[in-house]
């Protein structure tokens, strides 16, 4: 295409779609404000077909969470003791009533549904006891009894066999991702598969699982280099997926000096697996965060409030 042909093409295209104009504004506009500004520019330039590109300031958004514990006289739930403590003992021993995990795992990004999350919780005391009993065992196979799993989470016994088989199959294809730090600075991200191998034995009603070494470490190694969180296992039995995710995040920092924690919206969307859903923040808050908080308030002694804060890119 020569210059004359290119010019003619551009004229024809301009005639078809109109001229293009760019307008830069100093605030984020609502949908109605964008429509009004577009109409105003088109009237001003006298071109009802003009394409109007509106450039708004980039906003970094985050949620600040405040949290606390209620006393034992509410719903007869015992107060939490020493959550997220860091102890000097290399391998502390906890009874079966405790779920214990490294904070790296609690803050990791993982695409798990509710029963998959329940499986990891169920494995927490099993892995801990196995490693404490035989730290040098080369083959780390863990057995999940279907009926015990059903009793733990108040699930129907008739469908539990199919449920466990489906969980095992789906988790073979999933991984979780966590950030590594050096001198309190984030360095790189690591991805780890949950399962190395699994076998559902239908006639025996049990699931045999071989976990990745990193998963075993995060469920059994608790010391100053590997900060961890523990909580009573009965607190999470009735939580839904969103409630469980937020509970893990808040539990991991419950006993820090200040009872507040800030998370970016982008991180929370990843954590709740909502990157492609609830596109508007108002919907994300209503159907994800608010739902999770209501769930936590109903079934645990945690009390959480949050506020959304925005700042313009560049710190303005």
């Amino acid at each position: 295409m020569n210059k004359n042909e290119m010019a003619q093409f551009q004229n024809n295209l301009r005639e078809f779609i109109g001229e293009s104009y760019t307008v830069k504004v100093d605030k984020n506009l609502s949908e109605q404000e964008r429509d009004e500004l577009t109409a105003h520019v088109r009237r001003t330039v006298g071109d009802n077909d003009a394409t109007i590109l509106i450039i708004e300031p980039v906003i970094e958004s985050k949620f600040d969470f405040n949290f606390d514990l209620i006393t034992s006289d509410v719903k007869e739930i015992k107060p939490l003791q020493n959550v997220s403590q860091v102890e000097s003992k290399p391998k502390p021993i906890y009874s079966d009533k405790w779920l214990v995990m490294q904070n790296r795992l609690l803050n990791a990004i993982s695409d798990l549904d509710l029963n998959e999350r329940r499986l990891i919780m169920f494995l927490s005391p099993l892995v801990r006891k196995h490693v404490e009993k035989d730290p040098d065992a080369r083959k780390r196979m863990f057995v999940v009894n279907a009926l015990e799993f059903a009793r733990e989470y108040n699930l129907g016994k008739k469908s539990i066999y199919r449920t466990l088989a489906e969980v095992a199959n789906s988790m073979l294809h999933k991984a979780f991702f966590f950030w590594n730090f050096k001198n309190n600075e984030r360095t790189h991200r690591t991805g780890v598969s949950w399962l190395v191998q699994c076998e559902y034995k239908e006639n025996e009603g049990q699931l045999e699982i071989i976990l990745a070494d990193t998963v075993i470490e995060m469920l059994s190694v608790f010391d100053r280099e590997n900060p961890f969180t523990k909580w009573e296992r009965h607190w999470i039995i009735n939580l839904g997926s969103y409630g469980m995710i937020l509970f893990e995040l808040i539990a991991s920092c419950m006993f820090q000096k200040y009872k507040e924690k800030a998370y970016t919206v982008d991180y929370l969307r990843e954590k709740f697996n909502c990157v492609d859903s609830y596109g508007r923040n108002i919907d994300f808050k209503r159907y994800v965060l608010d739902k999770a908080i209501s769930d936590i308030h109903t079934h645990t002694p945690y009390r959480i409030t949050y506020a959304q804060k925005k700042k313009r890119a560049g710190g303005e």
Side-chain angles (χ1 to χ4, degrees):
M1 182 179 294
N2 58 39
K3 291 183 179 180
N4 292 334
E5 291 173 331
M6 176 60 73
Q8 184 60 47
F9 173 78
Q10 291 175 334
N11 289 334
N12 292 340
L13 182 61
R14 190 176 295 112
E15 184 176 335
F16 178 73
I17 65 173
E19 293 281 359
S20 178
Y21 298 89
T22 300
V23 180
K24 188 174 182 179
V25 297
D26 60 1
K27 70 170 187 175
N28 287 83
L29 306 180
S30 66
E31 186 173 347
Q32 180 179 349
E33 289 173 326
R34 292 191 193 96
D35 291 340
E36 292 175 351
L37 179 57
T38 298
H40 172 72
V41 174
R42 284 174 174 170
R43 287 196 302 269
T44 301
V45 301
D47 184 354
N48 292 330
D49 295 320
T51 298
I52 311 301
L53 175 62
I54 300 174
I55 300 179
E56 301 175 60
V58 177
I59 297 294
E60 181 184 276
S61 185
K62 66 178 181 178
F63 290 111
D64 283 354
F65 289 84
N66 295 285
F67 40 87
D68 210 338
L69 293 170
I70 59 174
T71 57
S72 59
D73 59 348
V74 180
K75 298 180 186 282
E76 298 182 351
I77 297 178
K78 295 181 180 180
L80 187 63
Q81 299 290 332
N82 299 325
V83 174
S84 197
Q85 62 183 345
V86 179
E87 299 181 357
S88 58
K89 295 180 181 180
K91 291 182 180 178
I93 299 175
Y94 299 105
S95 67
D96 287 352
K97 79 172 186 177
W98 295 106
L99 297 182
V100 192
M101 297 185 185
Q102 288 185 13
N103 290 349
R104 285 189 301 167
L105 183 57
L106 296 179
N107 288 277
I109 301 298
S110 56
D111 176 20
L112 299 181
D113 65 25
L114 180 57
N115 282 322
E116 290 167 345
R117 293 187 182 282
R118 286 170 168 169
L119 177 61
I120 298 303
M121 298 293 177
F122 190 84
L123 285 168
S124 171
L126 296 182
V127 172
R128 193 167 65 245
K129 289 171 63 177
H130 182 100
V131 174
E132 289 169 355
K133 182 178 179 181
D134 189 1
D136 299 322
R138 292 186 178 181
K139 190 174 183 181
R140 301 289 178 83
M141 178 175 288
F142 307 95
V143 178
V144 176
N145 181 279
L147 293 180
E148 290 178 1
F149 187 85
R151 283 194 295 269
E152 176 80 0
Y153 298 106
N154 299 318
L155 303 176
K157 294 182 180 180
K158 291 184 178 180
S159 61
I160 188 59
Y161 303 105
R162 183 181 71 253
T163 297
L164 267 187
E166 291 173 350
V167 167
N169 290 336
S170 61
M171 288 195 69
L172 276 174
H173 306 287
K174 291 188 175 183
F176 64 93
F177 299 86
F178 62 91
W179 286 97
N180 296 273
F181 292 83
K182 185 176 182 180
N183 299 325
N184 292 324
E185 295 290 332
R186 193 166 69 176
T187 57
H188 61 282
R189 194 173 78 154
T190 299
V192 181
S193 296
W194 286 104
L195 308 184
V196 174
Q197 179 180 319
C198 70
E199 182 178 358
Y200 182 70
K201 295 188 174 182
E202 186 172 357
N203 294 333
E204 300 177 31
Q206 65 185 32
L207 182 64
E208 293 184 352
I209 295 174
I210 298 178
L211 295 172
D213 289 343
T214 303
V215 178
I216 295 174
E217 175 189 330
M218 290 183 171
L219 294 176
S220 62
V221 179
F222 315 119
D223 51 32
R224 292 188 180 278
E225 285 69 42
N226 299 283
F228 61 96
T229 294
K230 69 173 185 177
W231 64 89
E232 295 191 43
R233 61 193 295 175
H234 69 269
W235 287 353
I236 56 91
I237 289 174
N238 295 310
L239 290 180
S241 183
Y242 291 156
M244 195 176 293
I245 292 170
L246 185 58
F247 179 92
E248 292 173 355
L249 286 178
I250 299 303
S252 69
C253 50
M254 175 58 72
F255 275 81
Q256 63 186 24
K257 184 176 181 180
Y258 300 103
K259 296 295 185 289
E260 59 182 32
K261 180 72 174 179
Y263 298 101
T264 65
V265 174
D266 288 343
Y267 168 77
L268 288 174
R269 285 188 174 278
E270 279 194 276
K271 183 66 177 173
F272 284 93
N273 194 25
C274 292
V275 174
D276 298 319
S277 57
Y278 306 116
R280 299 189 307 165
N281 279 347
I282 189 173
D283 291 332
F284 178 68
K285 289 189 290 184
R286 178 183 303 164
Y287 298 113
V288 179
L289 296 182
D290 292 347
K291 182 177 180 181
I293 290 173
S294 176
D295 199 16
I296 289 171
H297 287 182
T298 301
H299 300 293
T300 82
Y302 286 11
R303 291 299 174 263
I304 306 167
T305 60
Y306 71 94
Q308 184 178 5
K309 293 185 177 180
K310 299 180 180 180
K311 70 174 182 178
R312 192 170 299 175
E316 298 180 6

